[in-house]
Amino acid sequence: MKNILHFIKGNLAVGLLLFALFLGAGNIIFPPLLGQQAGENITVAMIGFLITGVGLPLLAIVAVAKAGGDLQLLANRVSPAFGGVIFTSIVYLAIGPFFAVPRTGSVSYEIGIAPFLSEAMRDHWAPLFITSILFFTLILYLSINPSKLVDRVGKILTPALLFVILLLAVKSFISPMGEPGEAVGNYKVSPLAEGFVQGYLTMDVLSALVFGIVILQALRDMGMKDTRKQVKTTIFAGVVAAIGLSFVYISLGHIGNTSITAIGISDNGGNIIAKSAEVLFGSLGSIILSATILLACISTAVGLLTANAQFFHKLFPQISYKTFLVVFTIFSAAITNVGLSTIISASLPVLLIIYPLAMVLMVLSLADHFFKGGQIVYILALVPTFLVSLYDGLKQMKVEITPYETILKALPMYEQNLGWLLPAIVGAVIGFIIHKLKNK
């Protein structure tokens, strides 16, 4: 018992670090929207959301830890070109300087700063520009020395972040704003599947594939050299993060679910949580919400930029870690200024394409010992997955190919954006059979 308590105490900061890295802008915005739209079906919808927003990221952390903490090594099981450069680089850039990091800066402004400005100032370019400069200057300072991540993020930012979310959650349970409304859209007929797909928007599975290297580097900086201990501690950190994320998602979902009477219906999760905070705490609510958003976005931006700089420095060792960090930070600050709506609309097609690939790769890697790393299994599962998810991305970009869509519509759960699931399973099974026959 004493050994267990010592292990928990010694590694809790690492778990809090991982939780802080996960908890970003999307994690705050999407659960309240789910809660409001799911209405009386919130329990089933939240289960689906927790599967993709908590369960699969936890499995991804385990998969990456067992692969040595490196997404590149994990994806190499498909092929060196796919794993070494193409897929891994796309994942890092998508959840790094192209989309996710600029989103943290833009959300910090939209919810943390804009509500305190006059209407005329909100429409001017200067406040967002100044906010992005200040925000990313702080991010660069926190990221410049990754060995300090556990102290700076895990021990300082996360407890403060949990405290402000706890205030909102407790108040919403003690003084609920109203009763749940009626379920809308897909939440009426398939709340579980809709909640599952909405979990994509957090991008947590992609983030989990990247954060492994940050956690392992932090453990090495703490003096932990034994590989088995690193894997064990990383899994523990994943469990801590999963518990924290579940608490946050359920709490924010409850706030959205009971908010309609007080604030009306909204199609923007940011507006829901902002108005709810004001109803629950008055003007103090806006300050609490601003602190929550800023802390969440700072934590996530630090983790994503650090992971990106470390990966590309490994890919191109002639360029220093700090150089990549500076370039990515400046690039992210520039993209932030195009605005939140533009960032989200530009990122969605890419997300629809690569997210299913990441999930299939992660699940196969966990089952790798059953087929002893057979490359054919990975290839035959990922190729049909890509053929379906690619069209999902094209559709989002308003590029439609009628004959192709006619074929895809015959797939189960195509309308729920899960059409890739059956082809992935069939491909993996065929690959497994071929692998076994080749060995015999």
Side-chain angles (χ1 to χ4, degrees):
M1 186 65 179
K2 186 180 289 186
N3 289 337
I4 295 175
L5 291 175
H6 178 74
F7 176 81
I8 293 174
K9 183 180 179 181
N11 297 289
L12 185 60
V14 182
L16 292 176
L17 164 63
L18 184 58
F19 169 64
L21 296 179
F22 272 125
L23 192 58
N27 310 75
I28 301 293
I29 290 174
F30 297 121
L33 183 61
L34 177 147
Q36 192 173 90
Q37 294 182 343
E40 70 275 13
N41 294 330
I42 185 174
T43 301
V44 178
M46 183 57 70
I47 290 172
F49 188 85
L50 292 176
I51 291 173
T52 43
V54 177
L56 291 180
L58 175 57
L59 293 180
I61 284 290
V62 175
V64 174
K66 289 187 174 181
D70 197 331
L71 172 60
Q72 195 173 13
L73 293 175
L74 188 65
N76 273 345
R77 295 172 180 177
V78 183
S79 77
F82 176 84
V85 181
I86 301 173
F87 179 74
T88 309
S89 297
I90 290 173
V91 169
Y92 270 90
L93 292 173
I95 64 172
F98 277 21
F99 303 125
V101 175
R103 187 175 72 176
T104 63
S106 195
V107 169
S108 296
Y109 169 75
E110 294 287 350
I111 301 180
I113 305 297
F116 302 99
L117 301 176
S118 66
E119 188 124 356
M121 287 299 293
R122 285 181 210 170
D123 296 332
H124 200 274
W125 61 269
L128 176 58
F129 178 76
I130 294 171
T131 300
S132 66
I133 297 297
L134 295 175
F135 179 83
F136 283 103
T137 298
L138 176 61
I139 297 304
L140 183 61
Y141 167 74
L142 291 172
S143 305
I144 205 72
N145 187 352
S147 65
K148 301 294 184 182
L149 274 178
V150 172
D151 288 331
R152 290 172 177 166
V153 180
K155 293 182 179 178
I156 300 173
L157 294 182
T158 307
L161 174 59
L162 280 173
F163 177 71
V164 292
I165 291 178
L166 183 63
L167 285 178
L168 287 172
V170 170
K171 180 67 173 177
S172 71
F173 279 100
I174 294 176
S175 306
M177 292 177 284
E179 296 297 321
E182 293 185 5
V184 299
N186 289 333
Y187 287 112
K188 281 185 177 180
V189 292
S190 53
L192 182 68
E194 183 64 14
F196 184 92
V197 173
Q198 289 299 314
Y200 286 14
L201 299 175
T202 66
M203 300 178 74
D204 280 346
V205 168
L206 300 182
S207 300
L209 295 173
V210 169
F211 289 155
I213 193 171
V214 180
I215 297 299
L216 285 186
Q217 187 59 49
L219 293 177
R220 289 164 188 155
D221 290 336
M222 293 165 61
M224 188 180 294
K225 306 299 181 184
D226 184 85
T227 302
R228 291 181 62 185
K229 286 185 178 179
Q230 291 175 355
V231 172
K232 187 177 179 181
T233 303
T234 303
I235 293 173
F236 171 77
V239 172
V240 172
I243 294 172
L245 286 172
S246 298
F247 161 73
V248 170
Y249 292 156
I250 293 171
S251 299
L252 295 177
H254 172 75
I255 292 173
N257 192 239
T258 57
S259 66
I260 293 179
T261 303
I263 68 171
I265 298 173
S266 175
D267 59 358
N268 185 306
N271 288 335
I272 294 172
I273 194 64
K275 292 179 180 178
S276 297
E278 190 170 354
V279 170
L280 291 169
F281 285 100
S283 58
L284 180 62
S286 297
I287 298 174
I288 292 173
L289 179 65
S290 298
T292 303
I293 294 298
L294 287 171
L295 290 172
C297 291
I298 287 169
S299 301
T300 302
V302 168
L304 292 175
L305 283 175
T306 299
N308 266 267
Q310 288 174 339
F311 167 71
F312 283 100
H313 171 57
K314 181 180 178 182
L315 201 61
F316 304 101
Q318 63 273 24
I319 303 175
S320 70
Y321 163 83
K322 290 185 178 180
T323 299
F324 274 118
L325 190 62
V326 171
V327 170
F328 288 154
T329 302
I330 294 173
F331 186 84
S332 299
I335 296 297
T336 294
N337 283 272
V338 305
L340 182 59
S341 297
T342 303
I343 294 171
I344 292 176
S345 62
S347 65
L348 192 53
V350 178
L351 184 60
L352 287 172
I353 295 170
I354 64 176
Y355 210 93
L357 293 172
M359 288 193 288
V360 172
L361 177 63
M362 177 264 295
V363 171
L364 288 178
S365 70
L366 290 173
D368 187 83
H369 58 284
F370 288 112
F371 51 90
K372 298 180 180 177
Q375 188 182 46
I376 189 67
V377 181
Y378 285 96
I379 292 174
L380 290 186
L382 286 168
V383 167
T385 300
F386 174 71
L387 293 176
V388 178
S389 68
L390 175 63
Y391 191 69
D392 288 336
L394 291 175
K395 269 198 313 179
Q396 187 63 35
M397 293 185 284
K398 310 300 182 186
V399 178
E400 296 187 10
I401 306 172
T402 304
Y404 192 25
E405 185 173 16
T406 302
I407 297 172
L408 295 183
K409 278 185 175 179
L411 294 171
M413 296 187 289
Y414 173 76
E415 296 298 331
Q416 287 78 34
N417 294 312
L418 295 172
W420 55 269
L421 191 56
L422 181 61
I425 294 172
V426 172
V429 171
I430 294 173
F432 179 76
I433 294 171
I434 294 174
H435 175 70
K436 287 295 185 181
L437 291 176
K438 281 178 65 179
N439 284 346
K440 287 184 178 181

